[in-house]
Structures are given as structure tokens and as C-alpha cells.
């Protein structure tokens, strides 16, 4: 994923910084405990498409 894009993307729900999980191809919002998928190198920034994270995944 392009580093410049990652620097400007924020969580659509709370506007906090996102962290890339390259292995799972997801952008992680630790504040809301959500993982936004990256499909075909395009981040899907829809709350309805995000996966809820467990407490273990957020640490």
C-alpha cells in the first residue's frame, strides 16, 4: 500500500490514525476496534464492511 495514502487515511467513524496489517491486508483502527479490508490494493473505508476486532487483536 502506498505510504502517502496511508498517511492521509483516517477511520471514517472516529477520525483516528489507522495502522496497516500487511499480512491480513487490513487497516486497523485501535480506538474503535475495527479492521477495514484492503481489496485489490484499494482500502474499503466503509464501517459496514469493517471487521470487529477482539481485545487480543487490538494490543
Amino acid at each position: 500500500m502506498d505510504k502517502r495514502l496511508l498517511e492521509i487515511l483516517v477511520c471514517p467513524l472516529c477520525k483516528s490514525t489507522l495502522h496497516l496489517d500487511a499480512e491480513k491486508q487490513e487497516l486497523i483502527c485501535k480506538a474503535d476496534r475495527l479492521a477495514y479490508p484492503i481489496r485489490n490494493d484499494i482500502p474499503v473505508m466503509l464501517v459496514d464492511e469493517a471487521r470487529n476486532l477482539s481485545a487480543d487483536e487490538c494490543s
Side-chain angles (χ1 to χ4, degrees), residues 10-16 18 29 31-34 36 45-48 50 52:
V10 294
C11 175
L13 193 59
C14 70
K15 310 299 185 235
S16 66
L18 297 170
C29 175
D32 292 320
R33 295 167 70 175
L34 293 173
Y36 296 95
M45 304 304 297
L46 300 171
V47 176
D48 292 342
N52 289 313

Side-chain angles (χ1 to χ4, degrees), residues 1 19-28 38:
M1 174 159 216
H19 304 279
L20 175 64
D21 183 337
E23 184 179 305
K24 293 182 180 176
Q25 286 293 291
E26 295 176 325
L27 294 173
I28 306 297
I38 300 172

Side-chain angles (χ1 to χ4, degrees), residues 40-56:
N40 299 322
D41 292 327
I42 300 170
V44 180
M45 304 304 297
L46 300 171
V47 176
D48 292 342
E49 293 286 324
R51 177 174 71 84
N52 289 313
L53 298 173
S54 68
D56 293 337

